[in-house]
Amino acid sequence: PLLAYLLVYNYLYNTRDKWAYIKRLFLFAILSQIPYMIAFENNELVLNIFFTLGVGLLLIYICEQWYAPVGEQPWRFLLVWATVSFIFLFFSVLLSYGPFGIFTIFAFYLYIKEKTTISLLLLMLVIYTLNSAQWHLGLALFGLLSLAIIWLVNSRDIQVRRVNKWLYYTFYPLHLIFIKVGMLIV
C-alpha cells in the first residue's frame, strides 16, 4: 500500500511530465522482468510490480486526458471506458497483484484527490482482500496498518519529499538479483 500511495502522490504532485513518468515505469518494468523471473523461478508469465504500477497510472492518465461526462460527449465517454476496460482486463491476468493492484492504485488516486472517508473504506477493503486472498490474514492486517500512516500524511496535508528517481528505479531489479544470490548461497 505504501508503494502504491507514493506512486500516485508523485504522479499528482511531484511530476512535471506525467507521460514521461509512465514511460519510465514501463522501461524499468521491461528491464526488471528477467531479474524478477530469475529471482522467483517462475515458469508462468507473471509481470513484475513495475508493470502493475505502470498500467495503473496509464489508466488514470487515460481517464484524466480523455474523460468527458456522458451527457457532454457520449462517444468520448464510451471510448475512454472501452479502452480502460480492455487494458484492465487484458493486463490484469498477467500482472503481479492482478486486478487488486490496479484497484489499489485507483483507490489511492480517489483518496488523494477527494480525501473522503468512502475512498478510505474502499482502500481498506481492496488492501484487505488483496492481501488475504494472495497471502494470508496476518499480512492483510499488516497492510491495513500502513493506512494509518497514509491517513495521517493525507489528512494533515504533509508534503512527501521525492526520493531520487534513479535510486528508486534501480533498487527493484538490483534487490531481485540480491535475493536470488542470497538463495543460492543459503
Side-chain angles (χ1 to χ4, degrees):
L2 289 172
L3 182 61
Y5 173 79
L6 291 173
L7 172 86
V8 174
Y9 183 91
N10 284 328
Y11 175 83
L12 290 171
Y13 301 117
N14 291 332
T15 302
R16 286 184 300 255
D17 186 346
K18 292 177 178 182
W19 182 241
Y21 185 34
I22 294 167
K23 288 191 300 188
R24 270 193 311 274
L25 282 172
F26 281 113
L27 173 65
F28 278 89
I30 292 165
L31 294 175
S32 300
Q33 188 60 30
I34 291 175
Y36 175 79
M37 292 170 70
I38 292 170
F40 295 107
E41 297 177 3
N42 200 345
N43 294 332
E44 59 188 59
L45 180 60
V46 175
L47 300 174
N48 66 65
I49 189 65
F50 271 118
F51 282 105
T52 305
L53 301 175
V55 168
L57 283 188
L58 177 63
L59 295 177
I60 289 170
Y61 183 82
I62 290 169
C63 289
E64 284 182 340
Q65 298 300 311
W66 284 91
Y67 178 77
V70 180
E72 292 178 19
Q73 296 176 326
W75 65 270
R76 196 165 165 184
F77 176 82
L78 291 172
L79 178 66
V80 167
W81 287 108
T83 303
V84 166
S85 298
F86 173 76
I87 291 171
F88 177 80
L89 292 172
F90 180 76
F91 279 106
S92 68
V93 296
L94 300 174
L95 297 174
S96 57
Y97 299 99
F100 291 111
I102 297 172
F103 285 141
T104 303
I105 293 167
F106 265 94
F108 275 120
Y109 177 77
L110 293 174
Y111 178 62
I112 293 169
K113 295 277 286 187
E114 305 298 326
K115 296 184 183 181
T116 63
T117 306
I118 296 293
S119 55
L120 183 61
L121 291 173
L122 175 64
L123 270 170
M124 291 172 60
L125 177 67
V126 167
I127 291 168
Y128 179 78
T129 304
L130 166 67
N131 286 324
S132 61
Q134 288 196 328
W135 293 293
H136 103 5
L137 185 59
L139 287 175
L141 295 174
F142 187 72
L144 287 174
L145 289 176
S146 67
L147 288 179
I149 297 166
I150 292 166
W151 173 81
L152 182 67
V153 167
N154 208 47
S155 66
R156 304 279 190 263
D157 286 326
I158 298 171
Q159 186 178 15
V160 179
R161 292 186 52 164
R162 187 172 189 162
V163 176
N164 180 297
K165 65 184 169 189
W166 300 113
L167 174 67
Y168 169 77
Y169 290 127
T170 57
F171 172 79
Y172 184 73
L174 289 176
H175 102 282
L176 291 173
I177 293 168
F178 287 124
I179 288 172
K180 185 59 179 179
V181 169
M183 291 188 320
L184 291 174
I185 292 172
V186 174

